[in-house]
Amino acid sequence: MIKKFLSLQWKEFTRSSAFQKGIAIKILLIFAALYFGAIALFAGIFLFFGIEEMFPNEDPMVIVNNFIIFWFLIDLVIRYFMQQMPVMNIKPLMIIPIKKGTIIHFLLGKTIISFFNIIPLLIFIPYSIVLLAQGYAPLHVIAWFISVMAITQALNFLNILVNKSNTVFYITLGLLATFAALEFFDIYKISEFFGVLFNGLYNHPYLVVLPIVLAAFLYYLNFDYLNKRFYLDGAISKEIKEVNASDLSWMDRFGKLATFLKNDVRMIWRNKRPRQVLMMSGFFLFYGLFFFTQKAYDDMPAMVAFASIFITAGFLFSFGQLVPSWDSEHYKMLMSQNIPYRKYLESKWYLMVLAVVISFILSTPYIYFGWDKFAMIAAGASFNIGINTFVTLFGGALNRVPIQLNEKAKAFSNTNGFNPTQLLIALPKMLLPVLLFYIPYFLTDYNLNAGIITLALSGVLGLVFRNFFLSQIEKVYQKGKYKTIEAFAEKK
């Protein structure tokens, strides 16, 4: 039966619209995976020798155990935002004689063979081989390696629960916040406690059973959670809600754009997912506090420019990157209407511009850190309006992953609709403004004003060519229109 599931998954993958994407994107993603895999492999090989050189009087194994908890914490955070949840079209399987347990075991088993689980293998296998070559006890090294891999799988299964259950999410978030507060305010060094724990796993090989039991327990919790919700009526029934109508007649002044703008405002107001994104974008306003309050960044203006972009780009990055996925549930109907595609794109553009302007107004308190910092935020806002909005819209043409607006999968930031292509599109949005600032800054003998003016003018130039950019983006959307409709029609 597992062999049959694998066959069905392969057919679903090769026949899906995702498989039809441009070969260039596939090649870039493959190279990215190989690049990060190679970095992990070399890190594992040279980790021991690097630590030995930096701390000649310390045992590298002790140093690794003291700090490995931070690796696991970062791993958990990255998994939450980037790891895709186990997906399978299970509705047809519910009406044929296949045991529920078999399907659930297959779904959970898929997550074990994940890029996020392969990276630790590429790091810790060569590291363990180096330890053995350096004369460390084989039994201790093997038991420690198994413990690390078991904890990695435990994080994998914990991440699934965090994504599926609001209760688990808030408990996990509360624990992480408590640990961070205890560590930051020197109340209790949590890192030292985990250092002792991991050193204990190495010094006492029989303790390897604890991480294994933990991973097995979290696997069981996932199995139990899915098993209790594995029913046909729960899969196909729709929750009926009372919808409160709002008077948005004041938007009629925008002419033909009003219809689209009203739809977006209603969507954000009525649905859980876009409301979460709107709330999340507000946190970007505090991004400058991490950079402007640190004196170390006073000598790194390029990093300050990087932070200034994010302050006004919260809604642009979080909402804009999922255009047109927001409309995936009614995209076919929308595209069948007698309305220009250009107006649809312009409405999204105006919405992002409005969000940048509001964010810039709300960032006014940053004047406290100096007019130069606020001028950099203004230049970043100009770049976001004149360049980043168009780059974001262009990236949307490559985003054909549907979104369920009221999906209950995550408590805070549902990543349904996320795909690796967005990472490639995000690179120019983050790196280009840094280059536009730093190159004139460097060429004018470190003149801060030159970098700020160049960054601001780039946004103005983008607005001058607004119609040209929108026309080119419209052509890209029109070319892939039917592929997008087909992709959004695929049900998961």
Side-chain angles (χ1 to χ4, degrees):
M1 186 54 65
I2 297 298
K3 182 180 179 181
K4 185 63 176 178
F5 286 157
L6 290 172
S7 173
L8 291 173
Q9 289 286 274
W10 176 253
K11 290 176 181 177
E12 181 182 8
F13 170 69
T14 55
R15 295 172 182 176
S16 70
S17 63
F19 194 74
Q20 308 297 325
K21 287 184 181 178
I23 190 66
I25 295 295
K26 290 188 179 70
I27 293 174
L28 286 174
L29 292 175
I30 291 172
F31 273 113
L34 292 175
Y35 173 74
F36 287 111
I39 290 178
L41 191 62
F42 282 105
I45 295 173
F46 296 106
L47 179 61
F48 180 90
F49 303 106
I51 295 175
E52 191 176 45
E53 184 176 345
M54 289 187 293
F55 305 96
N57 299 322
E58 298 285 345
D59 183 354
M61 192 64 201
V62 174
I63 298 295
V64 168
N65 284 330
N66 287 341
F67 291 96
I68 197 172
I69 182 60
F70 296 107
W71 162 269
F72 287 128
L73 291 176
I74 294 171
D75 179 42
L76 180 61
V77 173
I78 293 176
R79 283 176 186 273
Y80 177 76
F81 286 104
M82 297 183 62
Q83 185 177 11
Q84 297 293 310
M85 291 300 96
V87 174
M88 188 175 182
N89 193 356
I90 61 174
K91 293 178 185 178
L93 302 177
M94 289 181 170
I95 57 175
I96 58 179
I98 300 178
K99 292 182 179 180
K100 292 192 299 182
T102 303
I103 301 174
I104 297 172
H105 283 308
F106 178 75
L107 286 173
L108 294 176
K110 284 174 59 180
T111 66
I112 296 176
I113 308 173
S114 164
F115 177 76
F116 296 94
N117 296 329
I118 293 174
I119 287 295
L121 281 173
L122 295 177
I123 293 176
F124 293 110
I125 285 180
Y127 176 71
S128 298
I129 293 174
V130 171
L131 289 176
L132 295 173
Q134 294 297 315
Y136 283 77
L139 179 62
H140 293 255
V141 173
I142 293 173
W144 179 86
F145 172 77
I146 294 174
S147 298
V148 171
M149 291 300 102
I151 293 173
T152 299
Q153 291 299 334
L155 292 179
N156 174 53
F157 298 130
L158 175 61
N159 180 53
I160 298 174
L161 287 174
V162 167
N163 277 268
K164 297 295 182 184
S165 171
N166 288 357
T167 302
V168 177
F169 170 83
Y170 288 119
I171 292 175
T172 305
L173 180 63
L175 288 174
L176 293 179
T178 302
F179 290 164
L182 292 174
E183 183 80 18
F184 182 79
F185 294 107
D186 291 326
I187 299 174
Y188 180 77
K189 288 293 183 181
I190 295 294
S191 58
E192 294 180 359
F193 168 77
F194 283 103
V196 173
L197 182 63
F198 284 105
N199 279 303
L201 289 174
Y202 173 78
N203 294 323
H204 306 287
Y206 59 86
L207 293 178
V208 68
V209 70
L210 296 179
I212 294 175
V213 169
L214 176 63
F217 176 69
L218 288 171
Y219 183 94
Y220 167 77
L221 290 180
N222 275 279
F223 182 90
D224 184 65
Y225 181 90
L226 294 174
N227 188 51
K228 290 179 178 178
R229 291 159 178 79
F230 198 89
Y231 294 102
L232 186 61
D233 55 349
I236 64 175
S237 62
K238 298 292 184 180
E239 184 178 356
I240 300 175
K241 292 185 177 181
E242 181 181 350
V243 177
N244 294 321
S246 303
D247 182 16
L248 299 176
S249 57
W250 59 273
M251 284 189 172
D252 292 337
R253 68 187 68 181
F254 294 103
K256 293 182 179 180
L257 292 177
T259 301
F260 299 107
L261 291 172
K262 288 178 181 179
N263 285 339
D264 286 334
V265 171
R266 291 190 184 107
M267 176 190 66
I268 294 172
W269 181 257
R270 294 173 179 176
N271 296 286
K272 180 179 180 181
R273 175 74 190 277
R275 283 202 307 269
Q276 291 171 350
V277 168
L278 181 63
M279 179 180 68
M280 216 181 120
S281 63
F283 288 97
F284 280 72
L285 287 169
F286 302 98
Y287 205 87
L289 296 177
F290 293 101
F291 289 85
F292 298 165
T293 57
Q294 303 293 325
K295 293 183 178 179
Y297 292 111
D298 289 343
D299 298 326
M300 293 186 287
M303 292 301 297
V304 177
F306 178 80
S308 300
I309 293 295
F310 275 78
I311 291 173
T312 57
F315 187 82
L316 172 70
F317 284 176
S318 56
F319 181 90
Q321 71 173 353
L322 295 177
V323 172
S325 292
W326 293 115
D327 301 306
S328 59
E329 294 185 359
H330 54 270
Y331 194 76
K332 185 183 295 186
M333 181 275 293
L334 199 61
M335 291 298 103
S336 66
Q337 304 300 306
N338 186 23
I339 47 179
Y341 212 132
R342 172 66 172 267
K343 296 301 179 183
Y344 172 79
L345 294 174
E346 282 187 354
S347 70
K348 305 296 184 185
W349 185 81
Y350 275 112
L351 199 63
M352 289 187 283
V353 169
L354 179 62
V356 172
V357 171
I358 293 175
S359 297
F360 174 66
I361 295 172
L362 294 176
S363 69
T364 305
Y366 279 114
I367 294 175
Y368 171 81
F369 295 101
W371 285 100
D372 57 333
K373 301 286 195 308
F374 189 68
M376 205 169 288
I377 294 173
S382 174
F383 178 86
N384 283 330
I385 292 174
I387 303 294
N388 266 349
T389 50
F390 299 115
V391 176
T392 301
L393 279 179
F394 173 77
L398 304 176
N399 182 24
R400 299 188 180 119
V401 181
I403 288 178
Q404 295 180 22
L405 296 177
N406 270 315
E407 187 178 14
K408 298 180 180 180
K410 287 191 178 183
F412 184 67
S413 176
N414 190 321
T415 55
N416 170 248
F418 175 85
N419 68 86
T421 305
Q422 294 172 12
L423 295 180
L424 299 178
I425 299 298
L427 291 178
K429 290 192 287 186
M430 294 185 290
L431 298 181
L432 181 59
V434 175
L435 291 176
L436 287 174
F437 170 85
Y438 187 77
I439 292 175
Y441 168 76
F442 176 78
L443 295 178
T444 56
D445 197 21
Y446 305 107
N447 188 324
L448 190 67
N449 291 330
I452 293 175
I453 292 172
T454 302
L455 188 60
L457 288 178
S458 67
V460 175
L461 189 65
L463 287 176
V464 171
F465 290 96
R466 168 181 169 274
N467 289 328
F468 171 78
F469 288 149
L470 284 175
S471 297
Q472 297 305 310
I473 293 171
E474 181 187 5
K475 291 178 182 178
V476 176
Y477 273 85
Q478 290 282 15
K479 185 177 180 180
K481 175 180 177 179
Y482 295 103
K483 288 184 179 179
T484 304
I485 292 174
E486 182 183 358
F488 286 163
E490 292 178 5
K491 300 299 182 183
K492 295 293 186 181

